[in-house]
Amino acid sequence: MEYLDFELPIKELEEQLDKCMIIGEESDVDVTETCKQIEKKLLETRKDIYKNLTAWQRVQLSRHPNRPYTLDYINAICGETFLELHGDRNVKDDKAMIGGLGKIGDQSFMFVGQQKGYNTKTRQYRNFGMANPEGYRKALRLMKSAEKFNVPVVCFIDTPGAYPGIEAEERGQGEAIARNILEMTRLKVPIIVVIIGEGASGGALGIGVGDKVLMLENTWYSVISPESCSSILWRSWEYKEIAAEALKLTATDMKKLKIIDEIVREPVGGAHSYRDKTFEIVKNKILTHFEDLKKLSPKDLINKRMDKYANMGVFNG
């Protein structure tokens, strides 16, 4: 397990607990009471740290190297039923955007999401979770297939942004994202969006239009990253913490502004510490919201979705 700077007190206590247990195993000394005291202190420390997180600390958690990615969620939720589908039928298969069919219980879903890598090699392979236009076109192709066969769509968002390279612009990055936003507003099947990590800029919006948009507690959703905002306003990355606060990018801010529908609480300690528990929570949230959405006719689904997005940003002075 890797630890962020503000998690170091947790690391120290976990190491103490490990040492205490080893002493108990290797000698006749009864360390039961000592271990219980360390466990109690560990629980209290974890609660104190995680209940007072700043916006920048949540940004750091969203990028935690041990945090689960899209395929982790899909494999945990669907098991062996997941069938990955490839290609946009035009250019190539974008490895930063993955998708396919999977089942939760007896219900089929079309899953779409950005995928990051776990080490240098896989990060390059996945282009750091930054999709090209063909990634967004693949996502749209899969959503249209889901609509054809009346299969609900689940989108997992985790990207630092759409790929900003010259070749991406040449192949129509802006048009691909805009096309997805347009088509998703009028898709005739339920769309559930879950922000599981970083939700940056148009890269997130390209698969982010949904009937229900859920956001994990330690994630962020914004038009720009704190570092980029800092570099534009102050010509330096040093003010990223101030930028993170000013951008109002946390789940609490997004709920207050009515950009998202629900905050999904993570176990105390974050999704990276309790992966299995987080998978179970997300799975249950998807099923709960689908139960509500499946009662609506396609016409009502589209009308409610359109109204929801049309009312965003309305201000009564």
Side-chain angles (χ1 to χ4, degrees):
M1 173 68 80
E2 292 185 46
Y3 295 84
L4 300 171
D5 290 346
F6 62 88
E7 291 181 303
L8 290 178
I10 295 170
K11 182 186 178 185
E12 286 170 16
L13 285 166
E14 284 180 346
E15 285 173 352
Q16 284 176 26
L17 184 60
D18 288 342
K19 284 175 187 173
C20 187
M21 290 170 81
I22 288 166
I23 290 167
E25 286 168 10
E26 293 179 353
S27 66
D28 295 331
V29 181
D30 185 8
V31 293
T32 311
E33 196 56 41
T34 311
C35 285
K36 277 183 182 175
Q37 286 176 359
I38 297 171
E39 280 174 355
K40 189 182 175 186
K41 178 71 175 167
L42 179 60
L43 196 66
E44 288 169 0
T45 305
R46 198 175 268 136
K47 277 182 182 174
D48 286 343
I49 288 172
Y50 280 90
K51 77 177 179 186
N52 295 309
L53 292 173
T54 65
W56 173 244
Q57 285 171 337
R58 291 199 192 277
V59 171
Q60 287 179 290
L61 280 172
S62 75
R63 301 167 177 166
H64 199 290
N66 300 116
R67 195 172 176 87
Y69 297 141
T70 296
L71 276 174
D72 297 319
Y73 281 93
I74 292 172
N75 290 330
I77 290 169
C78 302
E80 293 179 4
T81 66
F82 181 61
L83 172 69
E84 189 174 351
L85 301 169
H86 300 272
D88 71 335
R89 306 272 175 89
N90 190 14
V91 179
K92 63 177 181 178
D93 184 42
D94 191 335
K95 307 299 182 188
M97 183 77 75
I98 60 109
L101 288 161
K103 280 189 172 185
I104 306 178
D106 293 327
Q107 176 61 49
S108 294
F109 289 89
M110 181 67 81
F111 292 92
V112 175
Q114 291 102 351
Q115 176 66 26
K116 292 178 177 176
Y118 301 94
N119 52 38
T120 306
K121 193 175 180 181
T122 55
R123 282 177 193 133
Q124 287 175 328
Y125 179 72
R126 297 289 181 185
N127 201 30
F128 301 87
M130 297 187 291
N132 277 279
E134 51 270 24
Y136 292 99
R137 289 174 183 135
K138 170 166 77 170
L140 183 57
R141 179 177 78 79
L142 299 186
M143 289 183 217
K144 283 292 188 183
S145 295
E147 181 182 53
K148 184 179 177 181
F149 296 106
N150 197 30
V151 174
V153 174
V154 176
C155 296
F156 289 114
I157 292 177
D158 187 13
T159 180
Y163 184 58
I166 293 171
E167 60 271 35
E169 297 299 335
E170 286 173 345
R171 292 196 296 274
Q173 185 71 286
E175 188 277 335
I177 292 169
R179 172 71 58 189
N180 278 26
I181 294 169
L182 171 66
E183 295 291 350
M184 287 181 84
T185 56
R186 56 194 189 191
L187 209 68
K188 293 175 185 173
V189 291
I191 308 171
I192 298 166
V193 176
V194 189
I195 299 161
I196 59 169
E198 299 183 272
S201 195
L205 285 179
I207 57 167
V209 177
D211 301 293
K212 295 292 177 184
V213 180
L214 318 179
M215 196 169 170
L216 265 69
E217 198 176 357
N218 298 315
T219 62
W220 63 277
Y221 196 24
S222 175
V223 70
I224 195 170
S225 71
E227 294 96 327
S228 298
C229 177
S230 174
S231 67
I232 290 169
L233 295 181
W234 290 282
R235 301 277 188 258
S236 165
W237 277 27
E238 286 178 25
Y239 301 92
K240 55 186 181 288
E241 292 178 41
I242 299 168
E245 292 291 340
L247 284 166
K248 302 291 180 196
L249 42 65
T250 67
T252 309
D253 295 321
M254 290 293 108
K255 185 74 174 73
K256 206 178 285 181
L257 294 167
K258 297 181 180 175
I259 304 294
I260 62 162
D261 299 289
E262 186 181 346
I263 300 168
V264 179
R265 298 290 171 197
E266 296 179 23
V268 178
H272 62 284
S273 298
Y274 300 96
R275 292 163 73 100
D276 291 341
K277 207 170 177 182
T278 307
F279 296 147
E280 192 63 28
I281 291 167
V282 170
K283 182 178 91 170
N284 291 334
K285 289 290 180 188
I286 291 168
L287 289 173
T288 302
H289 285 292
F290 175 65
E291 284 301 312
D292 293 336
L293 294 171
K294 74 177 184 182
K295 296 169 189 169
L296 300 172
S297 68
K299 189 178 178 183
D300 288 342
L301 261 182
I302 293 167
N303 286 339
K304 285 189 78 162
R305 198 184 300 147
M306 290 273 200
D307 289 344
K308 174 182 152 182
Y309 282 91
N311 287 328
M312 283 182 189
V314 171
F315 177 72
N316 297 316

